[in-house]
Amino acid sequence: MNKGLAKRIIPCLDVKDGQTVKGTNFINLRKAGDPVELGKAYSEQGADELVFLDITASFEGRKTFTEMVTRVAQEINIPFTVGGGINQLEDVERLLYAGADKVSVNSAAIRRPELINEITQRFGSQVCVCAIDARLDEDGWHCYLNGGRVRTERNLFEWAKEAEQRGAGEILFTSMNHDGVKTGYANEALAQLANDLSIPIIASGGAGTREHFRDAFELGKADAALAASVFHFGEIPIPELKLYLRETGINVRI
């Protein structure tokens, strides 16, 4: 299993009005909800990358979020991706200029797929993460918009392929069926994505145990695994998770 690039562990922080929304269990932090402090703690624990999602869509929220990105860039030395409400090149420019390494586009890219081409032509594929929220309905895997509220007729696998062809550098796939349930990632769908595409796939939605991460890498063939609450609530410390993965033969950076 040690072939190829190291598998990445990525904590995800939902940020609203400058604060992390999902509760946190970190002690010794000045503000447990401060995304910069939290990101720093994750970085020190061995996270490979971080994702910060702006869930305050208002203009005022944007300003707060951009200021936070600047602070993160000053304090953290691992790559980080930012997403939420990115609709045009100006949004991407503002966040990269503030110090983000990558941007994640979701609903806006489904509504206007050319956005992916524009971002990658201007800034390079490595900057563009295409996030896809999908659910396994009776008629197959469908992509959803607006934080999983609106169903589209786009099929997960077709849209992921198109995103790759348009230049996206990575796919961040969240299974809505698995999200928050802590019963494991959507490994069959992940494996199909990994087989269909040649860009990295980030698994999201479903982490509850260390074994779930292992399965995402072994069964799901994912390149990275993202999680929120198991890290925020201290249920799975990152150093322990990485030691466990290494012991099971998975190549991770320790």
Side-chain angles (χ1 to χ4, degrees), residues 209-239:
T209 67
R210 301 179 308 177
E211 290 76 14
H212 292 155
F213 287 89
R214 175 200 67 201
D215 292 346
F217 296 135
E218 288 189 342
L219 307 175
K221 301 181 185 174
D223 298 276
L226 176 142
S229 58
V230 290
F231 295 143
H232 298 341
F233 292 112
E235 293 163 31
I236 303 178
I238 293 172

Side-chain angles (χ1 to χ4, degrees), residues 55-67:
I55 61 173
T56 319
S58 68
F59 173 74
E60 203 34 54
R62 289 256 150 88
K63 195 164 145 274
T64 311
F65 189 74
T66 308
E67 287 163 3

Side-chain angles (χ1 to χ4, degrees), residues 114-132:
E114 300 77 35
L115 179 62
I116 296 175
N117 303 69
E118 291 166 9
I119 294 171
T120 56
Q121 281 157 19
R122 177 88 166 265
F123 303 107
S125 282
Q126 77 287 348
V127 156
C128 184
V129 178
C130 180
I132 304 176

Side-chain angles (χ1 to χ4, degrees), residues 1-2 6-10 48 185 209-218 224-225 231 236-254:
M1 275 304 289
N2 270 335
K7 303 291 188 182
R8 290 169 288 150
I9 301 295
I10 307 177
D48 297 293
Y185 293 94
T209 67
R210 301 179 308 177
E211 290 76 14
H212 292 155
F213 287 89
R214 175 200 67 201
D215 292 346
F217 296 135
E218 288 189 342
F231 295 143
I236 303 178
I238 293 172
E240 281 178 29
L241 172 62
K242 286 193 154 186
L243 281 172
Y244 163 79
L245 290 171
R246 177 162 280 191
E247 282 161 11
T248 59
I250 290 164
N251 180 13
V252 286
R253 286 188 203 89
I254 290 185

Side-chain angles (χ1 to χ4, degrees), residues 10 22 35 38 51 74-75 104 145-146 169 177 189 191 209 229 243:
I10 307 177
K22 284 182 177 155
L38 199 50
V51 171
Q74 288 164 347
E75 295 281 348
S104 157
L145 297 175
N146 298 8
N177 309 71
T209 67
S229 58
L243 281 172

Side-chain angles (χ1 to χ4, degrees), residues 75-150:
E75 295 281 348
I76 289 166
N77 56 8
I78 56 174
F80 70 99
T81 301
V82 294
I86 294 172
N87 299 302
Q88 51 196 11
L89 274 183
E90 290 81 84
D91 298 324
V92 179
E93 201 150 50
R94 170 171 52 85
L95 294 164
L96 292 177
Y97 185 70
D101 297 281
K102 309 178 200 179
V103 295
S104 157
V105 290
N106 191 333
S107 301
I110 289 185
R111 289 201 188 93
R112 196 172 69 81
E114 300 77 35
L115 179 62
I116 296 175
N117 303 69
E118 291 166 9
I119 294 171
T120 56
Q121 281 157 19
R122 177 88 166 265
F123 303 107
S125 282
Q126 77 287 348
V127 156
C128 184
V129 178
C130 180
I132 304 176
D133 296 331
R135 194 168 84 186
L136 181 56
D137 295 327
E138 284 176 12
D139 55 347
W141 280 97
H142 281 268
C143 301
Y144 278 69
L145 297 175
N146 298 8
R149 286 187 284 276
V150 181

